[in-house]
Amino acid sequence: KYEDVDVVTINPLGIGLTECILSGILSVNAKKVLHMDQNPYYGGESASITPLEDLYKRFKLPGPPPTSMGRGRDWNVDLIPKFFMANSQLVKMLLYTEVTSYLDFKVTEESFIYKGGKICKVPSTQAETLVSSLMGLFEKCRFRKFLVYVANFDEKDPRTFEDIHPKKTTMRDVYKKFDLGQDVIDFTGHALALYRTDDYLYQPCCETINRIKLYR
């Protein structure tokens, strides 16, 4: 009997991040939520599993964890690592649901890419650009000018546009204006602006520029 319950969530694959956030929002608004989950943990495919013994059961590993790994309760393993943009809508929802009282956030201090058999740090400031191994001397100068432009860009101030229309000029044309090479375009779009595909190249540049500003 669920007469006192406002919402019931049932997911045969497990109660995932979407259901957890939804229930949190409903709970803050005085709604009663009942989760029905076949797993002994919440999170579905994006769960963080603890203790270590449960992780062994989850992947059907033989035997218990070795004693050299310490106490099982000291382990908390993400099945899918999570990265949130600090000013994103998701973070705002987590703050609204007040779950941040028992969550810890850590700032991602640096980003790296794999190129030419080496791991290289992604430059995000003018100083880092000058010492980066990802670009040659002339490319560094051009990328530095691009970062200066991004830092000064304000979509509410046309004086910062420099012949670039934020709602009409594509990001590909912005890269072309600063004469940036394909390698620089790749790490800027995917490591700084965090796009998964190259579709953004054919979209108005405003969102991408703001993404790069947010990353920096």
Side-chain angles (χ1 to χ4, degrees), residues 5 12 15 17 23 29 39 58 70 74 90 98 102 106 115 118 132 135 143 150 153 161 172-174 189 195 207 211:
V5 177
I15 303 301
L17 183 61
S23 66
N29 287 276
N39 297 319
R58 169 72 170 73
D74 291 339
L90 179 55
E98 299 180 358
Y102 51 89
K106 178 175 174 55
K115 178 189 175 186
K118 298 189 299 182
S132 174
M135 298 167 282
F143 186 61
V150 169
F153 177 83
F161 292 175
R172 175 177 285 278
D173 289 335
V174 174
Y195 284 109
E207 180 180 352
R211 281 183 174 221

Side-chain angles (χ1 to χ4, degrees), residues 36-209:
M36 300 183 68
D37 194 333
Q38 67 174 355
N39 297 319
Y41 53 83
Y42 286 150
E45 293 302 313
S46 61
S48 296
I49 298 182
T50 187
L52 193 59
E53 289 77 8
D54 284 357
L55 185 70
Y56 269 58
K57 293 176 183 177
R58 169 72 170 73
F59 291 100
K60 299 179 180 178
L61 300 176
T67 56
S68 60
M69 300 185 74
R71 299 185 307 169
R73 285 287 175 189
D74 291 339
W75 291 80
N76 194 332
V77 181
D78 277 350
L79 297 182
I80 301 177
K82 294 103 177 158
F83 288 88
F84 303 149
M85 294 302 289
N87 197 33
S88 67
Q89 190 64 35
L90 179 55
V91 171
K92 292 177 182 177
M93 286 192 290
L94 293 174
L95 289 169
Y96 177 76
T97 58
E98 299 180 358
V99 299
T100 48
S101 60
Y102 51 89
L103 284 178
D104 288 326
F105 292 95
K106 178 175 174 55
V107 175
T108 302
E109 298 176 358
E110 298 177 339
S111 295
F112 298 84
I113 61 173
Y114 183 78
K115 178 189 175 186
K118 298 189 299 182
I119 296 176
C120 304
K121 185 180 185 303
V122 176
S124 61
T125 66
Q126 297 180 45
E128 291 176 353
T129 299
L130 295 176
V131 297
S132 174
S133 61
L134 290 170
M135 298 167 282
L137 178 60
F138 295 112
E139 189 85 307
K140 289 178 180 179
C141 293
R142 292 192 289 268
F143 186 61
R144 176 183 173 277
K145 291 180 181 178
F146 171 74
L147 290 181
V148 171
Y149 173 78
V150 169
N152 294 330
F153 177 83
D154 182 351
E155 60 182 301
K156 297 180 181 179
D157 184 359
R159 293 174 298 178
T160 66
F161 292 175
E162 297 184 18
D163 298 325
I164 292 175
H165 195 296
K167 300 297 183 183
K168 295 181 179 179
T169 306
T170 66
M171 198 61 207
R172 175 177 285 278
D173 289 335
V174 174
Y175 289 144
K176 185 176 180 180
K177 174 181 173 64
F178 288 93
D179 195 23
L180 299 181
Q182 189 58 49
D183 287 344
V184 177
I185 291 173
D186 286 342
F187 75 68
T188 300
H190 300 299
L192 297 184
L194 302 180
Y195 284 109
R196 295 182 179 179
T197 70
D198 287 336
D199 294 345
Y200 81 96
L201 290 170
Y202 308 98
Q203 303 298 324
C205 63
C206 186
E207 180 180 352
T208 300
I209 292 175

